[in-house]
Amino acid sequence: QVQLVESGGGSVQAGGSLRLSCAASVSGWLMGWFRQTPGKEREGVAAIDVIDQTSYADSVKGRFTISKDKATKTLYLQMNSLKPEDTAMYYCAADPRALRTSLSAQDFRYWGQGTQVTVSS
């Protein structure tokens, strides 16, 4: 059974930083971070593929960094210079297919439960 467990969310003031972690039971898969606010569709934030190519949403480029630790099967999202508009539930996602990095939710089969990030102005 595939397990993805996010942690690291919380409340921070604008300009601050947070690092999200996702403990995965799998490795060598396409991995990504998505976020969602009530009433809106899930948005791709960052992704990393099996050859460590990364992609980012335009709204987070230069502020967020996705990385993974293959030894511990942990996915990270370092979030700097946070803005109130970054407030959302953040989800870790994974897919076993040999896909290139993707920010489309339909390309990911497995999802974590989410961790809330709240940025106050």
Side-chain angles (χ1 to χ4, degrees):
Q1 184 175 357
V2 176
Q3 290 188 323
L4 301 169
V5 181
E6 302 97 334
S7 61
S11 297
V12 65
Q13 288 192 326
S17 299
L18 283 173
R19 188 177 78 158
L20 304 184
S21 299
C22 173
S25 61
V26 296
S27 62
W29 289 15
L30 172 66
M31 304 288 290
W33 287 98
F34 289 75
R35 65 188 181 188
Q36 189 170 25
T37 54
K40 293 190 177 181
E41 291 188 359
R42 198 162 290 190
E43 172 193 20
V45 175
I48 185 166
D49 68 15
V50 296
I51 57 172
D52 294 345
Q53 290 186 324
T54 58
S55 61
Y56 295 92
D58 287 343
S59 59
V60 307
K61 280 180 182 176
R63 301 188 298 121
F64 291 10
T65 303
I66 189 171
S67 63
K68 60 185 178 183
D69 184 326
K70 296 176 183 178
T72 62
K73 299 180 184 179
T74 304
L75 181 72
Y76 298 102
L77 184 68
Q78 178 65 44
M79 305 186 295
N80 298 328
S81 302
L82 283 161
K83 304 175 181 180
E85 51 263 44
D86 295 318
T87 295
M89 184 71 77
Y90 283 72
Y91 296 92
C92 173
D95 196 277
R97 294 170 289 177
L99 294 173
R100 288 296 183 88
T101 182
S102 169
L103 294 178
S104 175
Q106 66 183 13
D107 287 334
F108 291 82
R109 191 172 304 174
Y110 298 97
W111 295 84
Q113 299 285 349
T115 185
Q116 177 69 37
V117 171
T118 302
V119 184
S120 58
S121 57

